[in-house]
Amino acid sequence: DGGITQSPKYLFRKEGQNVTLSCEQNLNHDAMYWYRQDPGQGLRLIYYSQIVNDFQKGDIAEGYSVSREKKESFPLTVTSAQKNPTAFYLCASSMDSAYEQYFGPGTRLTVT
Amino acid sequence: GDSVTQMEGPVTLSEEAFLTINCTYTATGYPSLFWYVQYPGEGLQLLLKATKADDKGSNKGFEATYRKETTSFHLEKGSVQVSDSAVYFCALSDPNAGGTSYGKLTFGQGTILTVHP
């Protein structure tokens, strides 16, 4: 089955720790995206990558970092500099940036 | 910049009622328009899309028509079911945008739909 996987589904961390969220796709898509979802605010773009070894900041990149060393993988690191990291994080991919995006099941991160 | 405005929720309906969720947009180019659905605790699923004016997207009984003259993409369903209870997001992508906006999806804030038996 082709799709996007995110792991883990739930993640708990203490304040001050960096944490990395996994996103893998086997759809052979070139473009990948990370979004943050907070209640009542819709989705906001954190980072995106149109090709391997290249990525761009989205609207709320501060306190986050990414890498794109392989086409199928786009991990997101939430650093200790992110002031409000508790949220639902969604990864997406698309054939290229001109096409519709397909989403993974999400990771709910709780930082206390 | 681009923006999407959705009808505020929550929307509560009885089973078999008619559904409309309004969506209007602002874009500088000629965007593609999408409706996504999110069930509790899950990611977003693409429900339907339209890529040019007067296109009608449809899927699972849901429909939406791309109206350039009113900059709208309202979601409709003739007879809702309890299983349609979810959050619905309208979104746009401007394939003609340049720079860092290329391929970016702009979302509305989402509309919660609850359908009662």
Side-chain angles (χ1 to χ4, degrees):
Chain A
D1 279 339
I4 303 173
T5 57
Q6 292 186 242
S7 61
K9 190 165 177 67
Y10 299 96
L11 194 51
F12 298 89
R13 280 293 182 271
K14 295 289 189 187
E15 200 172 305
Q17 293 179 336
N18 292 353
V19 59
T20 297
L21 282 60
S22 166
C23 177
E24 304 277 331
Q25 54 98 359
N26 61 3
L27 299 167
N28 201 33
H29 284 172
D30 285 317
M32 296 187 74
Y33 310 81
W34 273 106
Y35 293 89
R36 171 184 172 134
Q37 185 176 24
D38 296 284
Q41 292 193 41
L43 278 73
R44 293 181 289 170
L45 182 64
I46 304 173
Y47 268 98
Y48 66 98
S49 168
Q50 295 179 3
I51 55 171
V52 174
N53 291 322
D54 185 53
F55 48 83
Q56 307 292 333
K57 291 182 179 180
D59 298 320
I60 55 164
E62 186 175 347
Y64 299 98
S65 66
V66 294
S67 63
R68 185 85 188 276
E69 296 175 3
K70 297 186 294 183
K71 186 175 185 177
E72 59 270 22
S73 179
F74 191 42
L76 172 75
T77 296
V78 184
T79 75
S80 56
Q82 168 51 232
K83 292 189 173 67
N84 297 297
T86 294
F88 190 48
Y89 290 88
L90 288 157
C91 179
S93 72
S94 63
M95 197 181 309
D96 74 24
S97 301
Y99 291 84
E100 62 268 21
Q101 296 177 22
Y102 294 89
F103 285 79
T107 292
R108 187 166 299 280
L109 173 65
T110 302
V111 177
T112 57
Chain B
D2 297 343
S3 67
V4 174
T5 302
Q6 276 182 245
M7 168 181 178
E8 286 203 20
V11 174
T12 304
L13 296 172
S14 297
E15 205 164 25
E16 299 183 5
F18 184 84
L19 168 70
T20 300
I21 301 178
N22 290 339
C23 171
T24 57
Y25 67 90
T26 303
T28 53
Y30 298 92
S32 296
L33 301 172
F34 307 90
W35 277 101
Y36 283 87
V37 59
Q38 185 178 34
Y39 298 100
E42 297 184 9
L44 275 67
Q45 298 176 26
L46 179 65
L47 183 58
L48 53 84
K49 67 176 183 179
T51 58
K52 59 183 188 297
D54 300 324
D55 266 2
K56 178 187 281 188
S58 61
N59 186 26
K60 299 180 182 178
F62 291 90
E63 293 183 339
T65 301
Y66 189 144
R67 300 285 188 203
K68 192 170 185 300
E69 63 276 13
T70 55
T71 62
S72 65
F73 192 54
H74 305 321
L75 182 69
E76 296 182 336
K77 187 175 185 184
S79 176
V80 293
Q81 305 300 311
V82 172
S83 57
D84 293 327
S85 298
V87 183
Y88 292 82
F89 291 94
C90 185
L92 72 80
S93 174
D94 186 353
N96 297 310
T100 57
S101 294
Y102 182 66
K104 174 184 167 184
L105 266 182
T106 300
F107 285 89
Q109 73 273 30
T111 301
I112 299 171
L113 170 65
T114 302
V115 180
H116 292 298

